[in-house]
Amino acid sequence: MTIGEDVARANRNHRDVTGSKKERALLNIDLIFIMVDLDHFKKVNDDYGHAAGDRVLQQFAAILGKATRESDTSVRWGGEEFLVVARNACRNDAAILLERIRSRVESHPFDVGDGLVIRCTCSLGFTFYPFLPDAREVISWEQAIELSDRCLYAAKRGGRNAWVGIFPTIDADPSRLRQFPPSQVEQLLREGILQVRTSLPGGGELDWSKAEPDGR
C-alpha cells in the first residue's frame, strides 16, 4: 500500500472541493478503512486442520478482491483479519460496500478439501479519513484504522455476521475530538459527538471495550 500518498490525495480532495459538509459527504473523495475478520475461524482450524483454514483464507481474500474495486486494496492484517482500503470513496455509501462483503462471505460455499464445504461469516468495522473534512489534522489515519478495529470488535460482541461504523455528527466539535483516544468512543457517543451505523438489528447494544470477543 502507498498509504502516505493515499492520505495526501484525500486531503487534497477535501481541500479543493467546495460545498457544505452534507454535499461533500456525497462525493467520492474519502479513504474508507475497513477491518474484516472471519467469525470463529479458530473452530475451522480445530475441526478441519490448518490446511483447510489456509484454503478458507485464500477464498476469503478472493471474495474481498471481487467485492471491491480495482482501485481498492485488501491486505492481510494478521491472523484471519484483513484491512480493506477503499480509495476515492463516498462515506455516505460505505454501508453498500460493507453489506456487499458481508453478504458474499455469508453466501459463499467454502471448499475445505476432500469434498467438504462449510459456511462462514465475517464481522466488519469501518470509518474513514479525513474523519472531519474541515479539521483534517484532528484524527490521523492511524487513529482511523484503530477506530475501525474497535468497530470490528463491537460487531463481534454484538452478534457477528455484521458491520459497525463510526461517523462524526454533522456539527462535531473538532476541539473535543482532537487527539482523543479510541477508548473514549463510548463517552463521545453519549455526548452526541459520534454516531454509529450498523447492520445489527435495532442498532444493537454495542460493547466498545477492547477485550477479546469470546471465540472471535
Side-chain angles (χ1 to χ4, degrees):
M1 286 192 301
T2 54
I3 192 66
E5 295 176 11
D6 295 333
V7 167
R9 184 180 302 109
N11 284 332
R12 287 196 302 272
N13 287 342
H14 278 272
R15 183 192 63 209
D16 294 343
V17 299
T18 58
S20 67
K21 292 179 183 178
K22 287 185 178 180
E23 290 170 336
R24 281 179 285 169
L26 300 175
L27 301 176
N28 295 322
I29 56 177
D30 295 305
L31 280 177
I32 299 178
F33 294 119
I34 306 168
M35 300 300 299
V36 196
D37 190 79
L38 279 169
D39 297 325
H40 301 299
F41 182 69
K42 183 178 182 300
K43 183 172 172 54
V44 175
N45 282 330
D46 290 345
D47 289 352
Y48 303 101
H50 288 277
D54 289 342
R55 292 173 69 101
V56 168
L57 286 177
Q58 291 167 5
Q59 293 165 73
F60 183 42
I63 292 170
L64 293 179
K66 291 178 180 177
T68 55
R69 302 167 300 174
E70 287 187 9
S71 59
D72 302 333
T73 298
S74 302
V75 295
R76 192 169 175 182
W77 201 247
E80 66 276 18
E81 191 169 305
F82 285 74
L83 169 66
V84 177
V85 180
R87 300 177 177 87
N88 297 315
C90 173
R91 64 184 64 197
N92 273 14
D93 290 341
I96 297 173
L97 174 57
L98 273 288
E99 183 58 25
R100 184 188 306 141
I101 294 171
R102 188 208 63 78
S103 62
R104 290 190 182 187
V105 172
E106 181 184 39
S107 63
H108 182 78
F110 285 88
D111 176 6
V112 294
D114 297 327
L116 295 176
V117 170
I118 63 172
R119 297 288 179 173
C120 297
T121 62
C122 68
S123 298
L124 310 95
F126 74 99
T127 194
F128 38 83
Y129 180 90
F131 195 69
L132 288 181
D134 293 330
R136 295 184 292 275
E137 78 288 351
V138 166
I139 294 179
S140 68
W141 66 266
E142 294 96 338
Q143 287 175 305
I145 290 178
E146 190 173 352
L147 274 175
S148 298
D149 197 48
R150 191 167 286 269
C151 289
L152 166 63
Y153 274 65
K156 291 277 189 183
R157 284 188 290 270
R160 298 181 176 83
N161 192 22
W163 48 263
V164 171
I166 285 284
F167 286 69
T169 53
I170 194 67
D171 55 352
D173 181 0
S175 65
R176 184 66 184 88
L177 285 170
R178 194 176 305 278
Q179 302 303 313
F180 84 97
S183 59
Q184 290 186 6
V185 167
E186 197 165 9
Q187 175 64 30
L188 294 175
L189 286 167
R190 285 197 297 267
E191 293 178 19
I193 293 171
L194 301 179
Q195 59 186 333
V196 173
R197 296 186 189 177
T198 178
S199 62
L200 289 165
E205 288 294 330
L206 298 177
D207 177 357
W208 292 97
S209 65
K210 188 59 176 174
E212 188 85 1
D214 292 340
R216 286 196 64 90

